[in-house]
Amino acid sequence: MTSPAAQAEAETFYLKDYTPFGFEVESVQLTFRLAPHATRVLSQIRFTPKPGAADPQFFLHGEKLNLISAKIDGVAVSPVITAEGLTCDTPAEPFLWEAEVEIDPASNTALEGLYMSGGMYCTQCEAEGFRKITYYPDRPDVMSTFTVRIEGDEEVLLSNGNPVSQSQGLAEWHDPWPKPAYLFALVAGDLVNHPDTFTTRSGKEVELNIWVRPGDEDKCAFGMEALKKSMTWDEEAYGREYDLDIFNIVAVDDFNMGAMENKGLNVFNSSCVLASPETSTDANFERIEAIIAHEYFHNWTGNRITCRDWFQLCLKEGLTVFRDAQFTADMRSASVKRISDVIDLRARQFPEDQGPLSHPVRPEEFQEINNFYTATIYEKGAEIIGMLKRLVGDEAYRKALDLYFDRHDGQACTIEDWLQVFEDSTGRDLTQFKRWYAQAGTPRLKVAESFADGTYTLTFEQSTAPTPGQPDKDPRVIPIAVGLLNGNGDEVQPTTVLEMTQAKQSFTFEGLASKPVPSILREFSAPVILERDTSNTERAFLLAHDSDLFNRWEAGNALSREARIAMVLTGAAPDASYLDALQKLVRDDSLDPAFRALILQPPSQSDIAQALFERGHLPDPQKIYDAAETLTQTLAQQLADSLPRLYADTTVQGPYQPDAVSAGKRALNGRILSLLTRLDGGDQASRQYDAADNMTQQYAALAALLTAEKGTAQSQAFYQQWQGDRLVMDKWFALQVAAAPPEATAHIASRLTEHPLFTLKNPNRFRAVMGALAGSHAGFHHASGAGYQLLADKLIALDSLNPQTTARMCTAFQTWKRYDAPRQALIRQQLRRIKDTKGLSRDTNEMVSRILD
Ligand code: PHE
Ligand code: ZN
């Protein structure tokens, strides 16, 4: 155990310190002799010293390994071993390194390296888990071909690449594509498969499998369809074909993240692949489709072209998120996808970028890389790609990507390589654009306008507040998509992209008959905060007329935000013109139901808190909650006459289908039901609950009832019906907390942690309860501090078992400086208590230290 003092001095890694490894790894051969508490791993690795290498020292990473033997060219050696790895004298010529280590997968609760989940063996190596399996240069720029032999009693023994041989108790796999160790995977278990095949466009037949525990085989069909759609889409949109004979997906219950793109053997959190109408909601289906696509797309953006070092993480993640968003837009509705993504960006990335955890999309230092799988790297990373594409145009983007795949296939690359491809193929200078990768913080974009003699001028001013370690910011390139409307709501200037490069810059539009209404930042063309003095009248006008669906939604969102801010600050009644506009839209059957559902989704309470804070007010979570309640209640009353008709019209008839159109209708139907439930005492929701033959409707009914403080009977029935299904029980756990009134949230969450089905060892279950607590704005920030204390208690308990999930959940505290002094004191006390915990992990220590700073 490290002492708190030692933790404070945890090593920091810097981008500027990069040096290549001093050896080529020609080939890797691994043999696994599986046993729950004593698995033996034999490695045979061919190394060739690089002539004139800057760092010829032979260092192999290795953590918590029991070294049984080590040999070089068949002769026993005695390496020097530390907590991080080993060093050894090596010949100047190519040599064969052989080692045997013993590891204990059954005791591995961190879920990194080789571990066990529900009786099956499973690995997770990204980012630095391979070093917990054997000694190896565990860095992404070391790429090699792997041959893997697995000896075990399990029926199914899987690894990367193509199968070489399979027999009882033994399997051999060979992956012909050189890869870094973080893409290594092994799975062994008594699994069953859902098989299929895919023929690539050049005519190669690929065997596809989704492997699950017996009993789950009826939940694979949707994921399989999503996989085949992804394979086709990547061929069509990016010209990328699959490159092995087989593609395996495995579902595992205990997993820290969503899924992992190991070469030819993707491992999925079961919540991100298993789907059935009875157990999964529409939102689950959509998310599963997107994650399957995301992991599949990594085969080219991540695996064939990987990252030089972990500072370049956004190279694969930003690009792959961008690609999966394009895929979802193509499969479903582009505008609905864009709106949902922006909601998500504002909910998760903006607070990160404006708080103590703010970091550049390409960070320059870290202590624990696991702490940098963030919304900034993923989602802001994807936004940067979107801006680049908007600046160069669709055709030039495709050409640049072709060059990227051509030039860098088989390499471990940097952001410089990525931008160079765009510079070379378009002739553009991207020096200034690169600031998006280097500078943290969300730019604010102030807008002023003027009109004279038919000329309309928009003047923009950009600025970014200081972030940790970056006091001064330079102006960035900002693509601002703008359209103009006349007083009738007709578009007089179709969308055009203004390219802002200065701190302050004006753009003019000529030949206009009258002063137009601008629609700025269409499709959310840049991840910035737009600041514009505008009236609710103009917002209502855009909400009614804008041809850009994103900005229509945005106008409604702003109206809702302003209405609620006014309610919080002055106790005013909800703004009448806002309610009016909303009612019109909800009743407008010509509009996409999914869009109408989004319009009915109010800004989150945390968003309101942030907006208040930025305007110089201390956000009071209880008041924000009350305003939201009043607004919903008022809306329900005003819509009272139409609700039964709207409910009937949006009810989807016939057998459940997870397609986007039906899902959109059900989303609106669910919103209508929750409004109805505020008026009818829960009658309609109870009927829907009883009649539901799918989880979307069953869950929507239960959520509506519990939120209205009804539904005790249904909640018990739900528990009885689903207690044997882990994934459905996660929903049950989360909903109890999410639907609780603020004063009861912490108490209910606390009671649930005593429930026999609660366990610290399953990240999904932990997140169901603690994530719902952190996500309940008024509940978590209740003045009693009970929410803070409970979360800290459980984080301390989890840390010794699973540092990665603990550290990630610490982000719940990242917005603490928004709140009043008593709350800040309560949070600081809990953060200190976590930090002072003896033996605290490096992961959690780094997060808590940064948040406290
Ligand atoms: N690379 C995975 C993805 O983005 C995420 C992941 C990171 C999974 C680290 C596990 C561990 O798809
Ligand atoms: Zn990814």
Side-chain angles (χ1 to χ4, degrees), residues 617-635:
H617 306 283
L618 284 176
D620 179 336
Q622 184 65 41
K623 278 195 182 153
I624 295 172
Y625 174 86
D626 292 340
E629 287 294 300
T630 307
L631 189 61
T632 313
Q633 189 67 31
T634 313
L635 182 65

Side-chain angles (χ1 to χ4, degrees), residues 126 259 261 294-295 298 301 316-318 320-321 324 373 378:
E126 189 178 3
E261 70 264 24
H294 179 98
E295 304 314 328
H298 267 314
T301 51
K316 74 177 176 83
E317 294 305 347
T320 306
V321 170
D324 84 54
Y373 286 77
Y378 275 65

Side-chain angles (χ1 to χ4, degrees), residues 688-750:
Q688 174 167 321
Y689 185 89
D690 292 339
D693 65 354
N694 63 79
M695 181 51 69
T696 307
Q697 286 179 312
Q698 190 180 13
Y699 183 84
L702 183 61
L705 287 165
L706 289 178
T707 308
E709 297 187 54
K710 309 226 161 24
T712 315
Q714 285 86 353
S715 179
Q716 278 167 9
F718 191 95
Y719 180 83
Q720 288 305 323
Q721 183 183 355
W722 294 116
Q723 54 183 314
D725 187 305
R726 284 184 179 75
L727 297 177
V728 181
M729 282 319 290
D730 288 335
K731 298 187 202 310
W732 182 85
F733 272 94
L735 189 53
Q736 307 296 312
V737 181
E743 66 281 4
T745 307
H747 176 68
I748 288 177
S750 168

Side-chain angles (χ1 to χ4, degrees), residues 214-276:
D216 284 338
E217 51 277 49
D218 58 340
K219 298 195 179 108
C220 301
F222 180 80
M224 185 56 87
E225 288 313 306
L227 174 59
K228 289 188 287 179
K229 282 197 246 175
S230 307
M231 296 177 86
T232 303
W233 187 89
D234 214 14
E235 292 184 349
E236 285 169 359
Y238 282 85
R240 298 294 113 201
E241 278 186 41
Y242 189 60
D243 55 4
L244 290 166
D245 304 340
I246 186 166
F247 187 80
N248 285 312
I249 286 177
V250 180
V252 50
D253 285 334
D254 302 291
F255 200 72
N256 282 328
M257 308 280 277
M260 179 62 211
E261 70 264 24
N262 316 300
K263 184 78 186 189
L265 177 52
N266 287 2
V267 174
F268 273 64
N269 186 321
S270 50
S271 73
C272 297
V273 54
L274 301 181
S276 77

Side-chain angles (χ1 to χ4, degrees), residues 665-686:
K665 234 173 144 184
R666 277 188 296 264
L668 180 56
N669 184 253
R671 301 249 165 233
I672 304 287
L673 180 65
S674 70
L675 292 172
L676 205 47
T677 305
R678 291 179 178 258
L679 305 178
D680 76 349
D683 291 348
Q684 189 62 58
S686 302

